[in-house]
């Protein structure tokens, strides 16, 4: 079973993927909840446009998304220059850019799951709290958010898994630099391009499958547990 032992470079790719995916999920979650709530509950001009923009990464080729990120968040891009000047944050060819690409690609899945969960919450419960004088923010925090928690958990875990497996946008935006931007999919791609790299590619492929399946199973289990607790409350 020696062929299953990961090399230091492979471990680095795995750790970097987990690191990048975690930050991608953490930073996109507040925006995901806000956008999902807006699409589920609000009526405003441009709602269809917002919905289209949110889901656009699912339709566009990932390479196109990565190229657009490079134009916008690169060193010479308007947003890239802004973040570097104001916050000292550089995205292009850094792990931060990989996290941004993963967050963008995973965002539609997160929003979709959370939106469906919010739409399943009975609006009459929110209206009843509002008639009793509760502030909309308090209603959201104490009624909507807890009732939509299963969907939030599912969306969060699915977004993590998606960010973990993102390749096209990531390699276009931040390249494939070992130890810096080489995530799990990029490392697998590298192995497939060199003679004798099949064993390393298979090792990392098994890890990718294990992580993805674990995320899906965990999402289902956590969502069910939260639902049972809420039904028993």
């Amino acid at each position: 079973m020696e062929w299953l032992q990961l090399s230091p470079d492979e471990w680095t790719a795995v750790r970097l993927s987990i690191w990048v995916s975690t930050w991608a999920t953490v930073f996109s979650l507040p925006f995901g909840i806000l956008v999902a709530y807006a699409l589920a509950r609000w009526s405003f001009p441009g709602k269809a446009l917002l919905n289209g923009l949110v889901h656009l990464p699912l339709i566009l080729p990932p390479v196109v998304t990565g190229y657009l990120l490079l134009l916008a968040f690169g060193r010479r891009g308007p947003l890239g220059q802004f973040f570097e000047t104001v916050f000292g944050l550089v995205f292009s060819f850094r792990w931060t850019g990989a996290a941004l690409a993963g967050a963008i690609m995973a965002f539609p899945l997160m929003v979709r799951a959370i939106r469906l969960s919010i739409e399943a919450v009975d609006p009459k419960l929110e209206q009843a709290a509002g008639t009793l004088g509760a502030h909309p923010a308090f209603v959201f925090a104490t009624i909507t958010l807890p009732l939509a928690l299963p969907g939030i958990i599912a969306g969060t875990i699915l977004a993590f898994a998606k960010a973990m497996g993102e390749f096209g946008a990531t390699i276009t935006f931040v390249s494939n630099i070992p130890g810096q931007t080489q995530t799990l999919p990029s490392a697998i791609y590298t192995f497939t391009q060199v003679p004798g790299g099949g064993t390393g590619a298979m090792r990392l492929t098994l890890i990718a499958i294990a992580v993805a399946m674990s995320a899906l199973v965990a999402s289902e289990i956590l969502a069910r547990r939260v639902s049972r607790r809420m039904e028993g409350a």
Side-chain angles (χ1 to χ4, degrees):
M1 302 295 288
E2 293 183 358
W3 70 277
L4 289 175
Q5 296 180 359
L6 299 181
S7 68
D9 290 340
E10 292 168 3
W11 274 117
T12 299
V14 172
R15 288 194 296 267
L16 181 62
S17 293
I18 295 175
W19 176 260
V20 165
S21 301
T22 299
W23 281 108
T25 305
V26 168
F27 277 106
S28 61
L29 182 57
F31 299 101
I33 294 175
L34 176 61
V35 172
Y37 184 81
L39 293 175
R41 287 288 189 262
W42 297 346
S43 295
F44 54 90
K47 181 177 179 178
L49 178 60
L50 175 61
N51 185 61
L53 290 174
V54 168
H55 292 87
L56 195 59
L58 290 180
I59 303 172
L60 288 175
V63 174
V64 174
T65 302
Y67 180 65
L68 293 176
L69 288 174
L70 186 60
L71 292 178
F73 290 90
R75 284 289 183 93
R76 297 182 181 180
L79 295 177
Q81 291 181 353
F82 170 78
F83 278 99
E84 184 175 4
T85 302
V86 177
F87 302 104
L89 186 60
V90 178
F91 290 102
S92 58
F93 307 107
R94 302 285 180 87
W95 74 265
T96 50
L100 177 61
I104 294 295
M105 296 302 296
F107 196 68
L109 296 178
M110 175 185 288
V111 171
R112 183 65 177 171
I114 298 176
R115 178 183 179 180
L116 291 175
S117 187
I118 292 176
E119 289 177 342
V121 177
D122 189 352
K124 294 181 180 179
L125 297 176
E126 300 169 332
Q127 296 170 2
T131 57
L132 295 176
H135 191 274
F138 182 79
V139 174
F140 174 77
T142 59
I143 296 179
T144 309
L145 203 59
L147 292 177
L149 190 56
I152 295 175
I153 293 175
T156 300
I157 297 179
L158 288 176
F160 175 86
K162 174 61 177 176
M164 187 90 171
E166 174 50 38
F167 172 70
T170 301
I171 199 171
T172 304
F173 184 32
V174 299
S175 189
N176 185 12
I177 307 173
Q180 298 185 39
T181 64
Q182 188 180 75
T183 57
L184 193 58
S186 300
I188 295 174
Y189 173 78
T190 300
F191 274 120
T192 63
Q193 302 303 303
V194 298
T199 301
M202 179 56 68
R203 283 196 296 263
L204 295 182
T205 297
L206 292 175
I207 291 178
I209 293 174
V211 171
M213 288 301 299
S214 298
L216 292 174
V217 172
S219 173
E220 185 69 19
I221 292 175
L222 289 174
R224 287 183 178 180
R225 287 184 177 179
V226 172
S227 298
R228 289 173 182 173
R229 288 183 181 180
M230 292 171 58
E231 290 175 358

PDB file of all heavy atoms in Angstrom, residues 109-141:
ATOM      1  N   LEU A 109     -24.447  27.552  -6.011  1.00  0.00           N
ATOM      2  CA  LEU A 109     -24.944  26.389  -5.279  1.00  0.00           C
ATOM      3  C   LEU A 109     -25.360  26.768  -3.868  1.00  0.00           C
ATOM      4  O   LEU A 109     -26.381  26.301  -3.354  1.00  0.00           O
ATOM      5  CB  LEU A 109     -23.866  25.305  -5.238  1.00  0.00           C
ATOM      6  CG  LEU A 109     -23.450  24.702  -6.583  1.00  0.00           C
ATOM      7  CD1 LEU A 109     -22.340  23.680  -6.370  1.00  0.00           C
ATOM      8  CD2 LEU A 109     -24.639  24.059  -7.271  1.00  0.00           C
ATOM      9  N   MET A 110     -24.570  27.613  -3.229  1.00  0.00           N
ATOM     10  CA  MET A 110     -24.897  28.059  -1.874  1.00  0.00           C
ATOM     11  C   MET A 110     -26.204  28.847  -1.865  1.00  0.00           C
ATOM     12  O   MET A 110     -27.111  28.579  -1.056  1.00  0.00           O
ATOM     13  CB  MET A 110     -23.764  28.923  -1.320  1.00  0.00           C
ATOM     14  CG  MET A 110     -24.059  29.533   0.037  1.00  0.00           C
ATOM     15  SD  MET A 110     -22.774  30.662   0.600  1.00  0.00           S
ATOM     16  CE  MET A 110     -21.472  29.495   0.988  1.00  0.00           C
ATOM     17  N   VAL A 111     -26.328  29.803  -2.767  1.00  0.00           N
ATOM     18  CA  VAL A 111     -27.519  30.648  -2.809  1.00  0.00           C
ATOM     19  C   VAL A 111     -28.760  29.818  -3.112  1.00  0.00           C
ATOM     20  O   VAL A 111     -29.820  30.008  -2.511  1.00  0.00           O
ATOM     21  CB  VAL A 111     -27.345  31.772  -3.851  1.00  0.00           C
ATOM     22  CG1 VAL A 111     -28.666  32.517  -4.065  1.00  0.00           C
ATOM     23  CG2 VAL A 111     -26.268  32.744  -3.405  1.00  0.00           C
ATOM     24  N   ARG A 112     -28.639  28.880  -4.039  1.00  0.00           N
ATOM     25  CA  ARG A 112     -29.783  28.053  -4.424  1.00  0.00           C
ATOM     26  C   ARG A 112     -30.316  27.256  -3.246  1.00  0.00           C
ATOM     27  O   ARG A 112     -31.530  27.230  -2.987  1.00  0.00           O
ATOM     28  CB  ARG A 112     -29.376  27.102  -5.553  1.00  0.00           C
ATOM     29  CG  ARG A 112     -30.496  26.232  -6.084  1.00  0.00           C
ATOM     30  CD  ARG A 112     -31.570  27.050  -6.738  1.00  0.00           C
ATOM     31  NE  ARG A 112     -32.623  26.212  -7.304  1.00  0.00           N
ATOM     32  CZ  ARG A 112     -33.773  26.678  -7.780  1.00  0.00           C
ATOM     33  NH1 ARG A 112     -34.012  27.979  -7.753  1.00  0.00           N
ATOM     34  NH2 ARG A 112     -34.674  25.860  -8.281  1.00  0.00           N
ATOM     35  N   ALA A 113     -29.421  26.614  -2.511  1.00  0.00           N
ATOM     36  CA  ALA A 113     -29.845  25.802  -1.373  1.00  0.00           C
ATOM     37  C   ALA A 113     -30.479  26.661  -0.275  1.00  0.00           C
ATOM     38  O   ALA A 113     -31.509  26.297   0.303  1.00  0.00           O
ATOM     39  CB  ALA A 113     -28.657  25.026  -0.816  1.00  0.00           C
ATOM     40  N   ILE A 114     -29.864  27.805   0.010  1.00  0.00           N
ATOM     41  CA  ILE A 114     -30.388  28.680   1.069  1.00  0.00           C
ATOM     42  C   ILE A 114     -31.709  29.306   0.652  1.00  0.00           C
ATOM     43  O   ILE A 114     -32.642  29.426   1.452  1.00  0.00           O
ATOM     44  CB  ILE A 114     -29.351  29.754   1.430  1.00  0.00           C
ATOM     45  CG1 ILE A 114     -28.075  29.105   1.973  1.00  0.00           C
ATOM     46  CG2 ILE A 114     -29.920  30.731   2.451  1.00  0.00           C
ATOM     47  CD1 ILE A 114     -26.960  30.081   2.254  1.00  0.00           C
ATOM     48  N   ARG A 115     -31.803  29.699  -0.608  1.00  0.00           N
ATOM     49  CA  ARG A 115     -33.045  30.313  -1.092  1.00  0.00           C
ATOM     50  C   ARG A 115     -34.219  29.349  -0.980  1.00  0.00           C
ATOM     51  O   ARG A 115     -35.312  29.730  -0.525  1.00  0.00           O
ATOM     52  CB  ARG A 115     -32.868  30.770  -2.535  1.00  0.00           C
ATOM     53  CG  ARG A 115     -34.138  31.380  -3.136  1.00  0.00           C
ATOM     54  CD  ARG A 115     -33.941  31.742  -4.590  1.00  0.00           C
ATOM     55  NE  ARG A 115     -35.161  32.292  -5.160  1.00  0.00           N
ATOM     56  CZ  ARG A 115     -35.298  32.707  -6.421  1.00  0.00           C
ATOM     57  NH1 ARG A 115     -34.260  32.620  -7.240  1.00  0.00           N
ATOM     58  NH2 ARG A 115     -36.446  33.193  -6.861  1.00  0.00           N
ATOM     59  N   LEU A 116     -34.025  28.117  -1.395  1.00  0.00           N
ATOM     60  CA  LEU A 116     -35.105  27.125  -1.301  1.00  0.00           C
ATOM     61  C   LEU A 116     -35.530  26.913   0.149  1.00  0.00           C
ATOM     62  O   LEU A 116     -36.719  26.728   0.448  1.00  0.00           O
ATOM     63  CB  LEU A 116     -34.649  25.804  -1.921  1.00  0.00           C
ATOM     64  CG  LEU A 116     -34.459  25.804  -3.443  1.00  0.00           C
ATOM     65  CD1 LEU A 116     -33.892  24.473  -3.897  1.00  0.00           C
ATOM     66  CD2 LEU A 116     -35.773  26.099  -4.154  1.00  0.00           C
ATOM     67  N   SER A 117     -34.563  26.935   1.053  1.00  0.00           N
ATOM     68  CA  SER A 117     -34.879  26.741   2.468  1.00  0.00           C
ATOM     69  C   SER A 117     -35.654  27.927   3.027  1.00  0.00           C
ATOM     70  O   SER A 117     -36.587  27.758   3.820  1.00  0.00           O
ATOM     71  CB  SER A 117     -33.578  26.538   3.256  1.00  0.00           C
ATOM     72  OG  SER A 117     -33.856  26.187   4.591  1.00  0.00           O
ATOM     73  N   ILE A 118     -35.290  29.139   2.617  1.00  0.00           N
ATOM     74  CA  ILE A 118     -36.004  30.337   3.089  1.00  0.00           C
ATOM     75  C   ILE A 118     -37.414  30.370   2.514  1.00  0.00           C
ATOM     76  O   ILE A 118     -38.377  30.727   3.215  1.00  0.00           O
ATOM     77  CB  ILE A 118     -35.225  31.606   2.701  1.00  0.00           C
ATOM     78  CG1 ILE A 118     -33.923  31.681   3.491  1.00  0.00           C
ATOM     79  CG2 ILE A 118     -36.061  32.859   2.953  1.00  0.00           C
ATOM     80  CD1 ILE A 118     -33.032  32.851   3.117  1.00  0.00           C
ATOM     81  N   GLU A 119     -37.562  29.991   1.253  1.00  0.00           N
ATOM     82  CA  GLU A 119     -38.887  29.978   0.639  1.00  0.00           C
ATOM     83  C   GLU A 119     -39.806  28.959   1.305  1.00  0.00           C
ATOM     84  O   GLU A 119     -41.042  29.103   1.260  1.00  0.00           O
ATOM     85  CB  GLU A 119     -38.759  29.666  -0.851  1.00  0.00           C
ATOM     86  CG  GLU A 119     -38.154  30.800  -1.658  1.00  0.00           C
ATOM     87  CD  GLU A 119     -37.968  30.448  -3.123  1.00  0.00           C
ATOM     88  OE1 GLU A 119     -37.982  29.240  -3.449  1.00  0.00           O
ATOM     89  OE2 GLU A 119     -37.801  31.376  -3.939  1.00  0.00           O
ATOM     90  N   ALA A 120     -39.224  27.933   1.935  1.00  0.00           N
ATOM     91  CA  ALA A 120     -40.027  26.923   2.628  1.00  0.00           C
ATOM     92  C   ALA A 120     -40.533  27.414   3.980  1.00  0.00           C
ATOM     93  O   ALA A 120     -41.428  26.797   4.572  1.00  0.00           O
ATOM     94  CB  ALA A 120     -39.218  25.645   2.819  1.00  0.00           C
ATOM     95  N   VAL A 121     -39.969  28.508   4.491  1.00  0.00           N
ATOM     96  CA  VAL A 121     -40.426  29.075   5.767  1.00  0.00           C
ATOM     97  C   VAL A 121     -41.756  29.799   5.539  1.00  0.00           C
ATOM     98  O   VAL A 121     -41.887  30.619   4.618  1.00  0.00           O
ATOM     99  CB  VAL A 121     -39.367  30.056   6.328  1.00  0.00           C
ATOM    100  CG1 VAL A 121     -39.890  30.706   7.611  1.00  0.00           C
ATOM    101  CG2 VAL A 121     -38.061  29.324   6.588  1.00  0.00           C
ATOM    102  N   ASP A 122     -42.725  29.515   6.356  1.00  0.00           N
ATOM    103  CA  ASP A 122     -44.050  30.113   6.216  1.00  0.00           C
ATOM    104  C   ASP A 122     -43.961  31.627   6.458  1.00  0.00           C
ATOM    105  O   ASP A 122     -43.620  32.056   7.563  1.00  0.00           O
ATOM    106  CB  ASP A 122     -45.014  29.488   7.225  1.00  0.00           C
ATOM    107  CG  ASP A 122     -46.461  29.908   6.985  1.00  0.00           C
ATOM    108  OD1 ASP A 122     -46.693  30.793   6.141  1.00  0.00           O
ATOM    109  OD2 ASP A 122     -47.347  29.348   7.656  1.00  0.00           O
ATOM    110  N   PRO A 123     -44.277  32.452   5.473  1.00  0.00           N
ATOM    111  CA  PRO A 123     -44.214  33.909   5.657  1.00  0.00           C
ATOM    112  C   PRO A 123     -45.156  34.418   6.748  1.00  0.00           C
ATOM    113  O   PRO A 123     -44.922  35.492   7.322  1.00  0.00           O
ATOM    114  CB  PRO A 123     -44.630  34.454   4.282  1.00  0.00           C
ATOM    115  CG  PRO A 123     -44.389  33.332   3.321  1.00  0.00           C
ATOM    116  CD  PRO A 123     -44.653  32.083   4.101  1.00  0.00           C
ATOM    117  N   LYS A 124     -46.205  33.656   7.047  1.00  0.00           N
ATOM    118  CA  LYS A 124     -47.142  34.092   8.079  1.00  0.00           C
ATOM    119  C   LYS A 124     -46.470  34.174   9.447  1.00  0.00           C
ATOM    120  O   LYS A 124     -46.870  34.990  10.288  1.00  0.00           O
ATOM    121  CB  LYS A 124     -48.334  33.134   8.131  1.00  0.00           C
ATOM    122  CG  LYS A 124     -49.190  33.155   6.874  1.00  0.00           C
ATOM    123  CD  LYS A 124     -50.364  32.200   6.986  1.00  0.00           C
ATOM    124  CE  LYS A 124     -51.221  32.225   5.721  1.00  0.00           C
ATOM    125  NZ  LYS A 124     -52.368  31.275   5.809  1.00  0.00           N
ATOM    126  N   LEU A 125     -45.473  33.320   9.689  1.00  0.00           N
ATOM    127  CA  LEU A 125     -44.750  33.377  10.956  1.00  0.00           C
ATOM    128  C   LEU A 125     -43.979  34.691  11.064  1.00  0.00           C
ATOM    129  O   LEU A 125     -43.958  35.319  12.132  1.00  0.00           O
ATOM    130  CB  LEU A 125     -43.783  32.191  11.060  1.00  0.00           C
ATOM    131  CG  LEU A 125     -44.420  30.798  11.073  1.00  0.00           C
ATOM    132  CD1 LEU A 125     -43.337  29.730  11.069  1.00  0.00           C
ATOM    133  CD2 LEU A 125     -45.307  30.643  12.304  1.00  0.00           C
ATOM    134  N   GLU A 126     -43.379  35.099   9.972  1.00  0.00           N
ATOM    135  CA  GLU A 126     -42.649  36.373   9.968  1.00  0.00           C
ATOM    136  C   GLU A 126     -43.616  37.544  10.096  1.00  0.00           C
ATOM    137  O   GLU A 126     -43.337  38.519  10.818  1.00  0.00           O
ATOM    138  CB  GLU A 126     -41.840  36.490   8.670  1.00  0.00           C
ATOM    139  CG  GLU A 126     -40.820  35.376   8.484  1.00  0.00           C
ATOM    140  CD  GLU A 126     -40.216  35.349   7.087  1.00  0.00           C
ATOM    141  OE1 GLU A 126     -40.903  35.787   6.135  1.00  0.00           O
ATOM    142  OE2 GLU A 126     -39.071  34.906   6.948  1.00  0.00           O
ATOM    143  N   GLN A 127     -44.739  37.446   9.412  1.00  0.00           N
ATOM    144  CA  GLN A 127     -45.727  38.521   9.487  1.00  0.00           C
ATOM    145  C   GLN A 127     -46.313  38.644  10.884  1.00  0.00           C
ATOM    146  O   GLN A 127     -46.552  39.752  11.379  1.00  0.00           O
ATOM    147  CB  GLN A 127     -46.834  38.267   8.465  1.00  0.00           C
ATOM    148  CG  GLN A 127     -46.364  38.310   7.021  1.00  0.00           C
ATOM    149  CD  GLN A 127     -47.410  37.826   6.039  1.00  0.00           C
ATOM    150  OE1 GLN A 127     -48.547  37.481   6.436  1.00  0.00           O
ATOM    151  NE2 GLN A 127     -47.079  37.781   4.752  1.00  0.00           N
ATOM    152  N   ALA A 128     -46.526  37.522  11.533  1.00  0.00           N
ATOM    153  CA  ALA A 128     -47.072  37.554  12.892  1.00  0.00           C
ATOM    154  C   ALA A 128     -46.112  38.241  13.849  1.00  0.00           C
ATOM    155  O   ALA A 128     -46.530  39.042  14.698  1.00  0.00           O
ATOM    156  CB  ALA A 128     -47.361  36.129  13.368  1.00  0.00           C
ATOM    157  N   ALA A 129     -44.843  37.944  13.719  1.00  0.00           N
ATOM    158  CA  ALA A 129     -43.857  38.609  14.579  1.00  0.00           C
ATOM    159  C   ALA A 129     -43.789  40.097  14.278  1.00  0.00           C
ATOM    160  O   ALA A 129     -43.627  40.921  15.189  1.00  0.00           O
ATOM    161  CB  ALA A 129     -42.486  37.961  14.375  1.00  0.00           C
ATOM    162  N   GLY A 130     -43.945  40.440  13.004  1.00  0.00           N
ATOM    163  CA  GLY A 130     -43.914  41.853  12.643  1.00  0.00           C
ATOM    164  C   GLY A 130     -45.092  42.617  13.204  1.00  0.00           C
ATOM    165  O   GLY A 130     -44.954  43.771  13.629  1.00  0.00           O
ATOM    166  N   THR A 131     -46.271  42.005  13.229  1.00  0.00           N
ATOM    167  CA  THR A 131     -47.449  42.682  13.772  1.00  0.00           C
ATOM    168  C   THR A 131     -47.334  42.897  15.279  1.00  0.00           C
ATOM    169  O   THR A 131     -48.011  43.780  15.838  1.00  0.00           O
ATOM    170  CB  THR A 131     -48.717  41.860  13.482  1.00  0.00           C
ATOM    171  OG1 THR A 131     -48.556  40.537  14.033  1.00  0.00           O
ATOM    172  CG2 THR A 131     -48.947  41.747  11.984  1.00  0.00           C
ATOM    173  N   LEU A 132     -46.487  42.107  15.925  1.00  0.00           N
ATOM    174  CA  LEU A 132     -46.277  42.268  17.368  1.00  0.00           C
ATOM    175  C   LEU A 132     -45.207  43.313  17.672  1.00  0.00           C
ATOM    176  O   LEU A 132     -44.850  43.506  18.826  1.00  0.00           O
ATOM    177  CB  LEU A 132     -45.879  40.922  17.986  1.00  0.00           C
ATOM    178  CG  LEU A 132     -46.962  39.829  17.937  1.00  0.00           C
ATOM    179  CD1 LEU A 132     -46.421  38.520  18.485  1.00  0.00           C
ATOM    180  CD2 LEU A 132     -48.194  40.273  18.737  1.00  0.00           C
ATOM    181  N   GLY A 133     -44.693  43.936  16.621  1.00  0.00           N
ATOM    182  CA  GLY A 133     -43.742  45.024  16.818  1.00  0.00           C
ATOM    183  C   GLY A 133     -42.287  44.640  16.693  1.00  0.00           C
ATOM    184  O   GLY A 133     -41.402  45.461  16.976  1.00  0.00           O
ATOM    185  N   ALA A 134     -42.001  43.419  16.289  1.00  0.00           N
ATOM    186  CA  ALA A 134     -40.611  42.997  16.160  1.00  0.00           C
ATOM    187  C   ALA A 134     -39.969  43.648  14.940  1.00  0.00           C
ATOM    188  O   ALA A 134     -40.592  43.778  13.884  1.00  0.00           O
ATOM    189  CB  ALA A 134     -40.531  41.475  16.036  1.00  0.00           C
ATOM    190  N   HIS A 135     -38.727  44.056  15.104  1.00  0.00           N
ATOM    191  CA  HIS A 135     -37.980  44.661  14.006  1.00  0.00           C
ATOM    192  C   HIS A 135     -37.696  43.598  12.948  1.00  0.00           C
ATOM    193  O   HIS A 135     -37.471  42.423  13.285  1.00  0.00           O
ATOM    194  CB  HIS A 135     -36.668  45.249  14.532  1.00  0.00           C
ATOM    195  CG  HIS A 135     -35.962  46.115  13.540  1.00  0.00           C
ATOM    196  ND1 HIS A 135     -35.102  45.609  12.591  1.00  0.00           N
ATOM    197  CD2 HIS A 135     -35.999  47.461  13.340  1.00  0.00           C
ATOM    198  CE1 HIS A 135     -34.623  46.600  11.851  1.00  0.00           C
ATOM    199  NE2 HIS A 135     -35.156  47.730  12.292  1.00  0.00           N
ATOM    200  N   PRO A 136     -37.701  43.979  11.659  1.00  0.00           N
ATOM    201  CA  PRO A 136     -37.431  42.982  10.606  1.00  0.00           C
ATOM    202  C   PRO A 136     -36.129  42.222  10.809  1.00  0.00           C
ATOM    203  O   PRO A 136     -36.059  41.014  10.532  1.00  0.00           O
ATOM    204  CB  PRO A 136     -37.390  43.827   9.334  1.00  0.00           C
ATOM    205  CG  PRO A 136     -38.284  44.993   9.631  1.00  0.00           C
ATOM    206  CD  PRO A 136     -38.082  45.269  11.086  1.00  0.00           C
ATOM    207  N   ALA A 137     -35.093  42.909  11.289  1.00  0.00           N
ATOM    208  CA  ALA A 137     -33.821  42.229  11.526  1.00  0.00           C
ATOM    209  C   ALA A 137     -33.957  41.193  12.641  1.00  0.00           C
ATOM    210  O   ALA A 137     -33.364  40.106  12.570  1.00  0.00           O
ATOM    211  CB  ALA A 137     -32.738  43.243  11.882  1.00  0.00           C
ATOM    212  N   PHE A 138     -34.756  41.529  13.667  1.00  0.00           N
ATOM    213  CA  PHE A 138     -34.980  40.587  14.768  1.00  0.00           C
ATOM    214  C   PHE A 138     -35.803  39.388  14.284  1.00  0.00           C
ATOM    215  O   PHE A 138     -35.531  38.243  14.676  1.00  0.00           O
ATOM    216  CB  PHE A 138     -35.712  41.297  15.908  1.00  0.00           C
ATOM    217  CG  PHE A 138     -35.951  40.429  17.113  1.00  0.00           C
ATOM    218  CD1 PHE A 138     -34.931  40.186  18.021  1.00  0.00           C
ATOM    219  CD2 PHE A 138     -37.197  39.853  17.323  1.00  0.00           C
ATOM    220  CE1 PHE A 138     -35.150  39.376  19.136  1.00  0.00           C
ATOM    221  CE2 PHE A 138     -37.420  39.047  18.434  1.00  0.00           C
ATOM    222  CZ  PHE A 138     -36.394  38.811  19.332  1.00  0.00           C
ATOM    223  N   VAL A 139     -36.783  39.645  13.431  1.00  0.00           N
ATOM    224  CA  VAL A 139     -37.590  38.565  12.870  1.00  0.00           C
ATOM    225  C   VAL A 139     -36.712  37.626  12.053  1.00  0.00           C
ATOM    226  O   VAL A 139     -36.818  36.395  12.147  1.00  0.00           O
ATOM    227  CB  VAL A 139     -38.720  39.135  11.999  1.00  0.00           C
ATOM    228  CG1 VAL A 139     -39.473  38.015  11.286  1.00  0.00           C
ATOM    229  CG2 VAL A 139     -39.674  39.959  12.846  1.00  0.00           C
ATOM    230  N   PHE A 140     -35.833  38.210  11.261  1.00  0.00           N
ATOM    231  CA  PHE A 140     -34.947  37.395  10.433  1.00  0.00           C
ATOM    232  C   PHE A 140     -34.020  36.542  11.289  1.00  0.00           C
ATOM    233  O   PHE A 140     -33.814  35.358  11.017  1.00  0.00           O
ATOM    234  CB  PHE A 140     -34.114  38.308   9.529  1.00  0.00           C
ATOM    235  CG  PHE A 140     -33.061  37.578   8.732  1.00  0.00           C
ATOM    236  CD1 PHE A 140     -33.406  36.844   7.620  1.00  0.00           C
ATOM    237  CD2 PHE A 140     -31.729  37.626   9.117  1.00  0.00           C
ATOM    238  CE1 PHE A 140     -32.441  36.159   6.884  1.00  0.00           C
ATOM    239  CE2 PHE A 140     -30.757  36.944   8.396  1.00  0.00           C
ATOM    240  CZ  PHE A 140     -31.120  36.212   7.273  1.00  0.00           C
ATOM    241  N   ALA A 141     -33.467  37.136  12.348  1.00  0.00           N
ATOM    242  CA  ALA A 141     -32.485  36.434  13.174  1.00  0.00           C
ATOM    243  C   ALA A 141     -33.113  35.368  14.059  1.00  0.00           C
ATOM    244  O   ALA A 141     -32.474  34.345  14.350  1.00  0.00           O
ATOM    245  CB  ALA A 141     -31.719  37.436  14.040  1.00  0.00           C
TER     246      ALA A 141
END
